[in-house]
Amino acid sequence: MSDTSCASVATFDTCPDVSIPMESPLSVAVNQVSMSTPAPAVSQESQVQFEEKPFLGHLILRGSAMVLGEAVSEVLGVSLPSQPLGLVFDASGQRSVQWLSPDEWLVIVPSGEEFELENRLREVLGAAHFAIVNVSGGQTLIELSGDKARELLMKSVTYDVHPSNFPVGKAVSVAFAKASAILRRPSETRYELVLRRSFADYCYRWLVDAGEDYGLGVTR
Amino acid sequence: MFYIHCPYCGEYRGEEEFSPKGEAHITRPADPDGCSDEEWGSYLFFRQNPRGVHHELWVHTLGCRKFFNITRHTVSYEIFETYRMGEQPKVTEQSLAEALNKTRKEESV
C-alpha cells in the first residue's frame, strides 16, 4: 500500500511491555479495601452488579463512512454502523464498533489488540482522508447487569432508557450524573458505560450511592 | 426541560445536552481586506435581536458534538424546526405570516 502516507504518521504502542504495571481509572476506588468507603461486595441481595472492564483497546475513527466502511469490514469483519446511534459486535462479542457522530466511530477491542488494529487499518486505508486515535488510556468501560440495572440508570441519566426507546444494539452519548458518558446496550441484560478517565471516579461513586437501594455489588 | 431534535442523531434529546452558539447564517466576507471598517465590524460584532422568529446556531455538546441550526421564537420559546449545517430554514418570519393570513382567510370564508 502507499508507504508514504503510512510512514508520515508516527504510531507507537502505548503499552509495549505487559510486565509494566497498569492502573485503570477505577483501580484505586474499586480495589483498595482499606479506604474509608470500601466497594460494596456482590451478595445474594444484589440486584445490580457493577464490573469494570479495564485496559480494553479504544480507538476513535474519523472519516467518511464510505472510506472507513470498507476498511473496517475487511480488517475487523464488522460492518460500520451507518445508522445513527448504532452499535455492532463481531461474532465473538469481544469487538464492537459504535456510531458516535456522522463521521466518528468508537472501536473497542480486547486488551493489546488496538495497536495492531490501528496499523492494519492505516495500511488498508493508505492515502485516504481519515484519522485514527488511540484513546485507550483516556477512558474505561464499565458494565452494569442485574434486574435493577435499568432503574439505576433511570436515576442517573435524563435519556429515556425504556426498551422501546433504547433497544439492544443502540448506543448514545448522554449527560450522566452531570458528567458525560457513553451509554451502550450490548444485550438484553447488560448495559455498558464508557467513562472518561477524569470522570470515572466521580461516576463510580455516584453509581455506588445511587445503587445502594438495589444492593449494588462491585465485582473485583 | 426542552426536548430538542438533533438532526444528526435523529431523535429528541434533553436541553442539557445542547449549547447555544448565537445567530446562524453569518457569512464571513469573502475578501476581509477589501471590507470597510463598518462591514467588518458588523460581521464581527453586530447581531440581530429579533422579537419573534430567530435562526440560531446550536451544538449537541454531550451527544454527537455536531453544530446545527434551530428556528426558534424568542417570545414563546417555541422551536419550529431544526436543520443541518448548510441547509436553509423552511420556517421564516415571512412563511409564518403567510400561513397565518391563509388560516384567517379560511376562517372568514
Side-chain angles (χ1 to χ4, degrees):
Chain A
M1 298 299 287
S2 56
D3 297 326
T4 46
S5 77
C6 279
S8 66
V9 177
T11 61
F12 68 100
D13 193 349
T14 50
C15 194
D17 184 356
V18 284
S19 68
I20 300 170
M22 294 199 288
E23 256 190 11
S24 88
L26 285 176
S27 60
V28 174
V30 172
N31 290 320
Q32 284 202 351
V33 277
S34 60
M35 277 177 60
S36 55
T37 50
V42 181
S43 70
Q44 293 277 312
E45 283 89 59
S46 293
Q47 291 172 297
V48 184
Q49 281 91 40
F50 173 106
E51 187 180 358
E52 190 193 3
K53 306 268 169 152
F55 313 128
L56 298 177
H58 300 239
L59 294 180
I60 293 281
L61 309 185
R62 298 294 304 263
S64 79
M66 278 164 68
V67 170
L68 290 172
E70 221 168 284
V72 167
S73 46
E74 188 185 325
V75 175
L76 263 178
V78 178
S79 62
L80 207 64
S82 54
Q83 290 301 309
L85 315 177
L87 168 69
V88 294
F89 282 83
D90 74 344
S92 70
Q94 300 276 303
R95 297 162 192 86
S96 63
V97 185
Q98 178 194 341
W99 185 97
L100 281 181
S101 87
D103 57 359
E104 187 175 1
W105 287 266
L106 171 66
V107 180
I108 299 186
V109 294
S111 184
E113 281 185 19
E114 67 273 19
F115 185 55
E116 195 201 334
L117 175 66
E118 182 186 342
N119 285 335
R120 282 177 64 200
L121 280 171
R122 286 190 187 283
E123 218 171 87
V124 173
L125 286 162
H129 183 63
F130 69 97
I132 302 176
V133 184
N134 183 347
V135 293
S136 310
Q139 52 197 32
T140 190
L141 186 91
I142 64 154
E143 190 180 284
L144 294 172
S145 54
D147 298 340
K148 298 286 186 185
R150 186 165 70 86
E151 282 181 42
L152 176 56
L153 287 175
M154 285 160 67
K155 292 164 81 167
S156 312
V157 295
T158 51
Y159 190 74
D160 180 7
V161 289
H162 190 272
S164 62
N165 186 58
F166 194 50
V168 173
K170 196 170 179 180
V172 289
S173 13
V174 289
F176 177 91
K178 298 179 188 174
S180 68
I182 297 172
L183 179 62
R184 297 147 58 100
R185 184 104 192 267
S187 75
E188 285 290 341
T189 51
R190 292 180 300 132
Y191 293 90
E192 285 177 349
L193 280 168
V194 180
L195 304 176
R196 284 178 182 267
R197 187 174 198 104
S198 52
F199 287 130
D201 187 68
Y202 163 74
C203 291
Y204 162 75
R205 282 163 207 274
W206 173 286
L207 283 169
V208 168
D209 184 56
E212 211 178 336
D213 298 347
Y214 314 118
L216 179 135
V218 178
T219 311
R220 281 195 204 101
Chain B
M1 160 152 10
F2 281 116
Y3 280 92
I4 298 172
H5 186 268
C6 171
Y8 293 100
C9 292
E11 62 178 21
Y12 284 88
R13 295 292 192 85
E15 173 192 0
E16 63 177 357
E17 290 186 17
F18 297 88
S19 312
K21 294 287 172 185
E23 190 183 323
H25 304 297
I26 295 168
T27 317
R28 183 185 161 92
D31 178 19
D33 291 335
C35 282
S36 67
D37 283 355
E38 197 179 332
E39 280 166 347
W40 188 247
S42 60
Y43 159 70
L44 278 185
F45 302 115
F46 287 87
R47 299 290 178 261
Q48 291 168 12
N49 184 19
R51 183 184 166 86
V53 177
H54 192 211
H55 305 290
E56 291 174 343
L57 187 65
W58 284 64
V59 59
H60 193 182
T61 322
L62 297 182
C64 59
R65 302 197 294 273
K66 289 288 173 212
F67 282 83
F68 64 99
N69 300 306
I70 292 181
T71 305
R72 194 175 70 88
H73 199 285
T74 55
V75 179
S76 67
Y77 294 152
E78 183 184 351
I79 293 171
F80 297 109
E81 60 171 345
T82 61
Y83 52 101
R84 295 179 179 213
M85 297 303 294
E87 292 176 2
Q88 289 302 312
K90 291 191 186 75
V91 179
T92 58
E93 190 88 59
Q94 201 184 354
S95 77
L96 275 184
E98 280 166 11
L100 190 67
N101 279 337
K102 205 179 159 193
T103 44
R104 275 186 188 150
K105 268 179 199 164
E106 280 167 4
E107 276 166 10
S108 63
V109 172

